[in-house]
Every structure is written in structure tokens, then in C-alpha cells.
Amino acid sequence: MPMITRRRLGAGAAAIAAVLARPALAAYPDRPITVVVPFAPGGANDLAGRLLADRLGPLLAPEGRALVENRPGAGSALGAEYVRRARPDGHTLLVGSASTLAVAPASGAAAARYHPTEDFTPVTIVGTSPMGVVVPANSGITTVKGLVDRLRAEPGRIGYASSGVGGVSHLGADYLANLAGTSAQHVPYRGGSQTAESLIKGETLYAVDQLGSVVGQVRDGALRLLAVTTRARDANFPDVPTVAEAVLPDYELTTWTVMVGPKGLPDDVAEALSKAANAALSEPRVRERLESTGTTPVLDSTPASTRAFLDREFALYTNIVKRIGLKLD
């Protein structure tokens, strides 16, 4: 009888462990997956969640299904908290934004007592979205420098619109005024469409919003896009400068969509979800729909790269929140 060495015994144990692990993953998902979108239906984040849900199930298993559940509230923190408390078995996932996983926890919101990577399992980066500084087309303001000059001339008196208290549009507009060395009045609304409407009606003077939310009004001529908030110009608007190059060199802001699961999600499940999401995002129909909302899909993220991304973005947003003194109770 051949001698069983310690090395051979260790290899055998590893092989047995691998075999035992396969059926668990092979059985996943064993029921419909719930994809929680922490916003009301109709926005860019909701569309991303629905596009992923439509393809995730079949890509994971022949009979797999995933369904979207909208859980808005508390600046999108309520939906995140629901997923944080869910069982870490891969059947409850969150498709959140920078507002959900960066602004809300960084600002001390009572409903967001969580950390984006310590209390969740990062899965995949869905996409990134540039934001734009917009004003009414009939405002007489034609450059972002002109807007900054107006804010400085009337400190604390100019109103800016946002899609809600504590959201990234709130943060972006307040940050613009803060870096300009002045202040402005926040006028929150209940969504991107109402934000644009307030500008067109003249209720507010400016907004910093996701390009996909205002691109229609910009192209129709109702709103004027003064600048984009990213470090580089947007390919769809190559003649529009960045805020940094035009007037405020330190200004940079990008919003994004990320999928996470509850803390403790098994590594093999997180990897399977990440690969399925990348496959879905690579499909032309999915990619084109996302791009139509101003979201650039990320096709090659992993759980590890998603964790690094979230840690970096959370640090960036935490610094901005501290600078402007944003505090949400």
C-alpha cells in the first residue's frame, strides 16, 4: 500500500473541499434574486437595476430569475439598510449610487449608519456618470465663470435645485459654491424631472445633475450646459469645458452605480454575480440603454476592484462633505 504523504493528504483535502463547494454554487440561485433599487422607479439608477435584473438570472442559471424591488427613502439609505440586514446568500442585492454608498454614510445620516465596504460585500461597478452644471437657457449666463461671478456677487441669495436632500446633486451644487468662496440656497425637489422643471420655470438658477437627467432639456434648448464636473471633457459634449479647466481647478465629481450584497457574501457567489453582471453589461442592448442615460458601463470590474473603487470614492466624498459641512440628521 503506497504511503500517504502529508502533501498528498493536503492535496486530497483541498480537492474534497473544492468538490463540496461546487454543489452549493451550482444550486445558486435556488429562488428569485431580489435586486433592491433604493430610489423611486424611473431614474437612471432604476433603469440600471432593471437591465441587470433582466439578465442576471438567466446568466447565472437556466431557470434563474431576478426581480427589482424599489425601496426609496432617506436619500436612498433605507434601501441600503434593508440589504445590509438581509441574509448573505446572494438572493438580496443592492444597486446603489454615490448618494447611497458615499454621500449618505459620509454625512452622518441617521438612516445610513453603515460603511460601503465594511458593511457590504462589493460585487461589481455597473457604470459611471458625468454630471453637468446647468442653468435656464434664458438666464443670461453663458459660462460657468459667469455663474460663479453671480454667486459671489449675491452670496447666500441664489437658489440651486437638487433631486433631494443628501443626494449627489445636492452635494455637487453646494460644493461648487463652497469652492467659489461663497454660498447658495438649497431648494430640494423629488427627482431629476422636477429639478429641470424648476430651472425652466425660473424657480432656481442652477443645478449640478447627472447629464442623463438633463440631456433632453439641454438638446431642446430649454437648459444651457455650462460645464461638466469630471476631470476630462465628456465625449458627447466635446465643446463644453470642465469646471476645473474653466474656473475652479480643484472641482471634480462623478456619480456612479455599483452592485453590492450583504456583508459575508461567499466569495464564489460574489465572483459569479460579478461575472454575470459583466456579461450583461457587455450585451449591446444593455450597453446602449445605459449609455442613453449618460451612464458609461464598466465591463471588467471584479469584487476586489469594486472594493478599491468604493473605498477611494468614499474617501473623496467624505472630504467634500467635511469641507462643505453637510450634516444629515
Side-chain angles (χ1 to χ4, degrees):
M1 180 176 181
M3 182 178 295
I4 300 177
T5 65
R6 182 174 298 175
R7 178 177 295 177
R8 288 176 62 188
L9 183 61
I16 291 171
V19 170
L20 290 175
R22 277 198 295 270
L25 184 56
Y28 172 76
D30 60 11
R31 60 186 183 278
I33 296 170
T34 298
V35 176
V36 174
V37 172
F39 298 94
N45 195 257
D46 180 64
L47 174 63
R50 292 181 186 280
L51 289 171
L52 281 178
D54 183 55
R55 298 298 300 133
L56 271 183
L59 286 167
L60 286 165
E63 303 299 323
R65 293 178 61 218
L67 306 171
V68 166
E69 183 174 321
N70 294 91
R71 285 183 170 265
S76 75
L78 288 185
E81 183 63 21
Y82 175 80
V83 174
R84 186 182 75 84
R85 295 177 178 274
R87 289 181 58 187
D89 57 9
H91 290 89
T92 306
L93 305 169
L94 173 73
V95 173
S97 70
S99 297
T100 316
L101 294 166
V103 181
S107 60
R113 302 298 190 198
Y114 54 75
H115 187 281
T117 57
E118 294 175 4
D119 295 312
F120 295 93
T121 301
V123 173
T124 197
I125 306 169
V126 179
T128 60
S129 305
M131 302 182 74
V133 183
V134 291
V135 295
N138 61 2
S139 65
I141 297 174
T142 59
T143 66
V144 69
K145 184 180 183 305
L147 173 62
V148 166
D149 289 343
R150 177 81 177 272
L151 293 175
R152 288 169 173 164
E154 302 181 55
R157 295 174 58 190
I158 302 296
Y160 66 85
S162 85
S163 54
V165 175
V168 69
S169 60
H170 175 189
L171 189 80
D174 200 342
Y175 187 39
L176 180 74
N178 181 274
L179 278 185
T182 185
S183 62
Q185 289 289 335
H186 181 211
V187 184
Y189 292 85
R190 296 186 64 179
S193 61
Q194 291 186 14
T195 298
E197 186 178 346
S198 82
L199 292 168
I200 294 169
K201 289 181 176 179
E203 297 171 351
T204 52
L205 182 62
Y206 78 102
V208 176
D209 210 346
Q210 186 174 332
L211 278 182
S213 298
V214 296
V215 65
Q217 292 87 346
V218 169
R219 288 177 174 159
D220 288 345
L223 297 179
R224 177 176 290 117
L225 177 62
L226 301 180
V228 294
T229 65
T230 44
R231 181 58 58 181
R233 293 192 181 195
D234 186 79
N236 295 306
F237 298 94
D239 296 330
V240 176
T242 68
V243 175
E245 70 177 289
V247 64
L248 301 171
D250 294 330
Y251 191 98
E252 180 180 7
L253 204 65
T254 303
T255 189
W256 33 263
T257 305
V258 167
M259 176 182 283
V260 299
K263 180 181 179 180
L265 196 67
D267 290 345
D268 54 358
V269 172
E271 289 287 349
L273 282 166
S274 182
K275 289 177 181 178
N278 286 342
L281 293 168
S282 298
E283 294 178 2
R285 182 186 70 86
V286 174
R287 190 170 66 247
E288 289 166 8
R289 289 290 306 281
L290 285 174
E291 289 173 346
S292 73
T293 69
T295 298
T296 301
V298 175
L299 310 179
D300 59 354
S301 66
T302 64
S305 68
T306 304
R307 177 179 295 277
F309 174 84
L310 281 174
D311 281 335
R312 184 172 63 250
E313 288 292 306
F314 183 55
L316 170 66
Y317 276 95
T318 298
N319 288 335
I320 295 174
V321 164
K322 288 180 179 178
R323 179 183 175 95
I324 67 176
L326 179 65
K327 184 71 175 176
L328 303 178
D329 297 324

